[in-house]
Amino acid sequence: MPNEIFALALTVLAGLATGIGAAIAFLIRKPTPRLLSLALGFSAGVMLYVSFTEMMPTATEILGGNTSAQWLAVGGFFAGIGVIAVIDWLVPEVSNPHEFHTSTDFLSSPGEPTLVIKKEGETQAKLMRMGVMTALALAIHNFPEGFATFVSGLYDIETAIPIAIAIAIHNIPEGIAVSVPIYFATGSRKKAFGLSFASGLSEPVGAVLGYLILREVMNDTIFGVTLAAVAGVMVYISLDELLPSAEKFGKHHHAIFGLIAGMAVMALSLLLL
């Protein structure tokens, strides 16, 4: 029971990091493209580093550490990539929390441009729908992440903590993606923050549902493959969405500096654990 409580608490904290993203969107009144580029690169660096240095080796070890285990881990990894690719394909781009739009998102100024949302041609109803759909899409994306965090907490605390940190950091820009259109549609910070915060609850919900469904058959094989699959999900999101978006918002080196900083922070946290 203590392990289950710890695992659930860790999953809740990781999921509710979307609330941090909403708070940042409101506290920083003039977020710049450079800042967002660095943040997206940082998130990608964290996820890539923890996927390849922590999650995949741990998954292989749990599966037995032999050649068969390596094949299973690799299979799980690419299966995770396939699942998230299908989800991204099914979710419309405008409501996908991993799609960042840049064509009309910036207003040029003599200094550095400021990140803004242009409301021309967009009604409040459309903005509201965008925010709600983004929250729903985010909930779908977060289910496997929450399950992996929860099960990791049950099996190995040292593995679970860096996974939770990586997912939490990744959830911050997603919280921004949910809260901003809601705020512009309603003018209410409370509603925007509340929906963004609530969307993060999908992780503990997914964790509990997945555990209840699989607990009777849960074993090292299922856990190892799940861990490898979530590593694939995180790598796909980093390479397909976060890094390309970071480069669109800022310069190439902004994205790379953020990427390296994310890896360095994650490496340091693993060494200090």
Side-chain angles (χ1 to χ4, degrees):
M1 182 62 70
N3 284 348
E4 293 178 352
I5 294 175
F6 169 80
L8 183 60
L10 203 61
T11 306
V12 171
L13 290 174
L16 295 186
T18 53
I20 298 176
I24 290 175
F26 301 140
L27 292 176
I28 302 177
R29 295 189 176 184
K30 292 184 178 181
T32 63
R34 179 189 299 176
L35 178 62
L36 187 55
S37 178
L38 289 170
L40 291 170
F42 186 91
S43 178
V46 166
M47 294 174 68
L48 288 171
Y49 191 89
V50 76
S51 294
F52 287 122
T53 68
E54 189 72 16
M55 297 178 72
M56 286 300 291
T58 301
T60 302
E61 181 181 348
I62 290 171
L63 291 169
N66 51 27
T67 302
S68 297
Q70 292 176 354
W71 278 99
L72 276 175
V74 169
F77 177 82
F78 285 104
I81 289 177
V83 169
I84 194 64
V86 169
I87 291 175
D88 273 357
W89 179 69
L90 292 174
V91 175
E93 182 176 329
V94 70
S95 58
N96 193 327
H98 296 145
E99 299 286 352
F100 294 87
H101 312 288
T102 60
S103 58
T104 59
D105 287 348
F106 296 110
L107 184 64
S108 297
S109 63
E112 186 176 16
T114 299
L115 181 63
V116 296
I117 299 294
K118 289 185 178 181
K119 293 190 288 184
E120 297 177 2
E122 288 189 331
T123 64
Q124 289 184 335
K126 185 176 180 180
L127 283 168
M128 187 67 183
R129 180 181 180 277
M130 182 189 301
V132 172
M133 289 298 293
T134 300
L136 292 174
L138 178 59
I140 295 171
H141 282 84
N142 282 351
F143 262 64
E145 296 174 0
F147 180 67
T149 305
F150 181 77
V151 178
S152 298
L154 291 178
Y155 273 71
D156 184 9
I157 294 176
E158 291 185 0
T159 300
I161 291 177
I163 292 174
I165 292 173
I167 290 175
I169 293 174
H170 160 57
N171 282 343
I172 291 174
E174 291 188 346
I176 296 174
V178 173
S179 61
V180 169
I182 296 294
Y183 172 64
F184 274 85
T186 64
S188 171
R189 283 185 170 87
K190 184 177 180 180
K191 289 181 180 179
F193 182 82
L195 187 58
S196 177
F197 199 76
S199 67
L201 291 175
S202 61
E203 289 204 1
V205 170
V208 172
L209 288 177
Y211 181 65
L212 290 176
I213 293 172
L214 297 175
R215 65 177 178 176
E216 297 298 331
V217 295
M218 180 61 67
N219 53 38
D220 288 348
T221 300
I222 292 177
F223 173 58
V225 171
T226 299
L227 199 60
V230 174
V233 169
M234 294 169 71
V235 168
Y236 177 89
I237 291 171
S238 298
L239 298 180
D240 184 65
E241 305 298 346
L242 296 179
L243 281 178
S245 297
E247 290 211 350
K248 289 179 183 178
F249 277 110
K251 297 179 180 179
H252 172 75
H253 285 100
H254 294 159
I256 296 302
F257 290 154
L259 175 73
I260 294 172
M263 289 184 172
V265 169
M266 195 71 250
L268 184 62
S269 68
L270 290 173
L271 290 172
L272 294 176
L273 286 176

